[in-house]
Amino acid sequence: MTLKQVKVLLDNEVIARNHSSEISEDKPDPLLIATKYNDETIALICALFAYGNARLIVKFLQSLDFSLLEQSDDIIKKSLSSHYYRFQNAEDVASLFIALKRLKDVDSIENIFYKGYQKEENVLEGLWGFIETLKSMYPYKSRGYAFLVGSIPLKQSGVGTYKRYMMYLRWMVRKDNLDLGLWTKIDKKDLLLPLDTHTFKVSQRLGLLKRKTYDMKATIEITQRLCKFDKSDPIKYDFALYRLGQEKLQ
């Protein structure tokens, strides 16, 4: 396919996918739970646990009592004592709730992201600042928790895709029939594609991505290519690419 044909395909997919029926019990996605609450903190929890089988992700998220974000540390730990998901045990899950509960008393997640972003309109700088702040809220360490909340890279080369955070930013910044659009301070033109295995492979097959390594450099490459299709909103193509790969249509 030529790039012009790829753009027509993706533009049509964006239109076809941009309705609420794309997110349902039959087509499970963590955004299904995030949409129910329309809250930046709950949406972040949904995004951070968004790895693995989509149906199992939604099942786990449905088991969580998000009102615990208003409770004491002890109540959170007790209430989540039997909750675990893949790499995260009950203590990891409770620690995220405690950290985010404390963060709510400090500042909004949007404002924390914005502090780093505003210098050069760079969402990665916003992300590094947010991760540092989140970790400072609750000094807990484990392999499962580190995987869940991420870390600040020591050097830019070899950085992973930070897919779950990039997806969260898409939910928060963009506004359509899928994305929540709860934030106003970050421009959607500066978002990076939430690159996962589906979008990575589809992008390669469509000729949008030449890089063979699944990392941040690939994320930036595909985002720059999508900017040529729509420089003001390149990440509008994310969900379409994801579904094309998930449903094995491309």
Side-chain angles (χ1 to χ4, degrees):
M1 298 177 76
T2 66
L3 279 182
K4 186 175 181 179
Q5 290 173 322
V6 171
K7 184 180 186 307
V8 171
L9 167 69
L10 291 182
D11 282 337
N12 288 336
E13 284 293 323
V14 168
I15 295 170
R17 305 285 182 176
N18 187 28
H19 54 79
S20 57
S21 62
E22 275 296 314
I23 305 290
S24 63
E25 294 290 346
D26 293 329
K27 291 185 174 182
D29 188 280
L31 187 53
L32 177 67
I33 309 302
T35 302
K36 179 180 177 181
Y37 293 93
N38 224 38
D39 175 271
E40 67 166 9
T41 302
I42 295 174
L44 180 59
I45 294 172
C46 293
L48 292 182
F49 282 107
Y51 70 97
N53 179 274
R55 199 168 296 278
L56 294 179
I57 295 168
V58 171
K59 183 179 179 180
F60 172 74
L61 293 174
Q62 288 173 328
S63 76
L64 296 174
D65 177 3
F66 295 111
S67 69
L68 290 172
L69 290 165
E70 308 296 331
Q71 300 297 327
S72 69
D73 294 3
D74 289 341
I75 290 177
I76 290 174
K77 290 177 181 178
K78 183 177 180 180
S79 299
L80 293 174
S81 61
S82 62
H83 285 71
Y84 60 91
Y85 178 75
R86 298 195 72 190
F87 303 149
Q88 285 76 48
N89 59 28
E91 192 172 0
D92 297 330
V93 178
S95 295
L96 178 63
F97 270 69
I98 292 170
L100 288 174
K101 178 200 68 170
R102 293 180 178 180
L103 191 68
K104 286 163 73 76
D105 293 330
V106 174
D107 207 343
S108 69
I109 297 175
E110 179 181 15
N111 283 342
I112 296 168
F113 260 94
Y114 182 70
K115 287 174 185 174
Y117 162 84
Q118 65 179 331
K119 300 171 186 175
E120 296 182 4
E121 297 184 335
N122 187 323
V123 294
L124 290 179
E125 291 300 323
L127 176 57
W128 308 150
F130 173 76
I131 290 175
E132 182 178 34
T133 303
L134 180 62
K135 286 187 169 183
S136 72
M137 292 295 103
Y138 188 58
Y140 167 78
K141 293 182 180 180
S142 76
R143 291 181 66 182
Y145 190 67
F147 175 88
L148 187 64
V149 303
S151 58
I152 303 170
L154 298 176
K155 53 183 180 179
Q156 293 297 322
S157 61
V159 173
T161 65
Y162 286 82
K163 176 257 179 179
R164 291 169 293 143
Y165 276 114
M166 297 302 108
M167 182 178 69
Y168 173 70
L169 289 175
R170 193 200 89 202
W171 293 354
M172 293 296 100
V173 175
R174 296 193 69 257
K175 177 65 176 177
D176 58 14
N177 292 328
L178 295 173
D179 293 328
L180 304 176
L182 299 180
W183 290 2
T184 60
K185 295 183 177 181
I186 293 176
D187 197 315
K188 60 187 178 183
K189 72 176 176 58
D190 299 316
L191 296 177
L192 295 173
L193 190 80
L195 194 66
D196 66 3
T197 55
H198 293 302
T199 52
F200 180 70
K201 292 175 182 177
V202 169
S203 297
Q204 287 180 322
R205 287 199 290 272
L206 291 175
L208 296 172
L209 182 61
K210 294 181 180 180
R211 187 167 176 78
K212 301 293 193 294
T213 306
Y214 177 64
D215 57 10
M216 183 54 69
K217 288 183 179 179
T219 294
I220 293 171
E221 180 185 324
I222 180 61
T223 301
Q224 290 175 339
R225 181 57 64 90
L226 294 175
C227 279
K228 295 182 178 180
F229 292 169
D230 189 337
K231 64 181 180 180
S232 67
D233 188 16
I235 309 308
K236 73 179 186 183
Y237 297 106
D238 174 51
F239 194 78
L241 286 167
Y242 170 72
R243 283 291 197 230
L244 284 172
Q246 187 186 49
E247 297 172 4
K248 297 179 172 56
L249 298 178
Q250 283 292 332

